[in-house]
Amino acid sequence: MEHFHFQVYKPYGMLSQMTSGEDRQLRKKRFLSELFDFPDGIMPIGRLDEKSEGLLLMTTDGKLSDTINRSGIEKEYLAQVDGLITTEAIKEISKGISIGVFGKKYVTMPCLATLLNEAPTLPDANSAMRIGRHRPTSWLRIIIKEGKFRQVRKMTAAVGFPTLRLVRIRIGEIELQNMNPTDVLPLKINLPPS
């Protein structure tokens, strides 16, 4: 059976799912199905929360989805945080930090967190984000190999610098490059024959 794969720039304000069984959500929320006429059986590989944006992979291959989700593959994010983050806070994030995941304490695995000296080149932020014009912000590059619920946001909040804007720019070797929000590109994934 032939499978289909896509890379999507999930925009801010959209859920990482095709639709919802809840009428209220269907009326109030935006879903991936509005971006493209995807083939039947398509599913996102992993998620980005509603207020995060960037690279999301989609596939019709459930086995591939499981493999990627369990493999400890690198995910790279650019995070714009509230305030001028300290070197100490970046070190804390890097070495692993205690966050809450579904009501339980969880210590994140060590990761790579670095301060960017200047703002990255990205599409303009969604106006709904209301990123303060009056307060200073900092940009971080964070590379993790796990993906707990809202993990990057919880990590920066735990050191006192809440994330204002979060953009995933890479999953493994697949990069966002110069895609724009709502862009959908077919993706060729070469897998060894099973």
Side-chain angles (χ1 to χ4, degrees):
M1 178 180 156
E2 189 186 359
H3 282 293
F4 299 94
H5 318 288
F6 300 89
Q7 67 182 73
V8 174
Y9 188 136
K10 187 194 87 66
Y12 172 90
M14 181 175 281
L15 297 177
S16 291
Q17 57 195 62
M18 293 304 289
T19 186
S20 172
E22 294 177 38
D23 287 346
R24 200 173 137 264
Q25 271 201 333
L26 288 172
R27 285 196 308 273
K28 305 246 190 240
K29 302 289 186 184
R30 295 177 63 205
F31 299 94
L32 297 169
S33 52
E34 77 180 58
L35 298 179
F36 188 77
D37 186 12
F38 288 108
D40 288 344
I42 196 88
M43 67 192 86
I45 300 175
R47 298 193 173 271
L48 278 172
D49 70 65
E50 187 176 1
K51 291 182 164 49
S52 299
E53 62 188 285
L55 184 61
L56 186 66
L57 303 181
M58 311 273 297
T59 185
T60 54
D61 185 346
K63 277 191 181 150
L64 173 67
S65 181
D66 276 352
T67 302
I68 291 178
N69 284 330
R70 291 188 187 162
S71 66
I73 195 166
E74 281 189 351
K75 298 166 201 78
E76 183 172 345
Y77 297 84
L78 298 177
Q80 185 177 16
V81 299
D82 191 13
L84 297 177
I85 196 165
T86 61
T87 310
E88 195 48 51
I90 296 172
K91 277 188 191 145
E92 279 186 63
I93 290 171
S94 299
K95 69 180 189 228
I97 191 158
S98 179
I99 61 172
V101 178
F102 301 118
K104 294 189 169 62
K105 286 281 176 220
Y106 176 79
V107 177
T108 61
M109 290 166 47
C111 67
L112 190 64
T114 50
L115 179 67
L116 300 180
N117 293 322
E118 51 191 58
T121 305
L122 290 168
D124 290 341
N126 184 298
S127 58
M129 283 191 221
R130 297 192 186 93
I131 293 173
R133 301 273 175 262
H134 310 296
R135 292 181 55 133
T137 62
S138 316
W139 278 95
L140 300 177
R141 174 185 311 278
I142 298 176
I143 301 174
I144 60 176
K145 288 188 174 180
E146 54 188 342
K148 299 295 179 194
F149 181 65
R150 299 174 66 93
Q151 180 173 338
V152 173
R153 290 180 181 280
K154 289 178 178 180
M155 288 161 66
T156 70
V159 294
F161 296 89
T163 295
L164 302 172
R165 185 179 186 194
L166 186 62
V167 185
R168 183 159 61 197
I169 60 167
R170 182 172 65 83
I171 298 171
E173 294 177 358
I174 301 164
E175 296 185 10
L176 190 62
Q177 294 175 332
N178 50 8
M179 290 177 76
N180 285 303
T182 73
D183 284 357
V184 176
L185 297 173
L187 184 62
K188 290 275 182 254
I189 297 180
N190 295 321
L191 293 170
S194 47

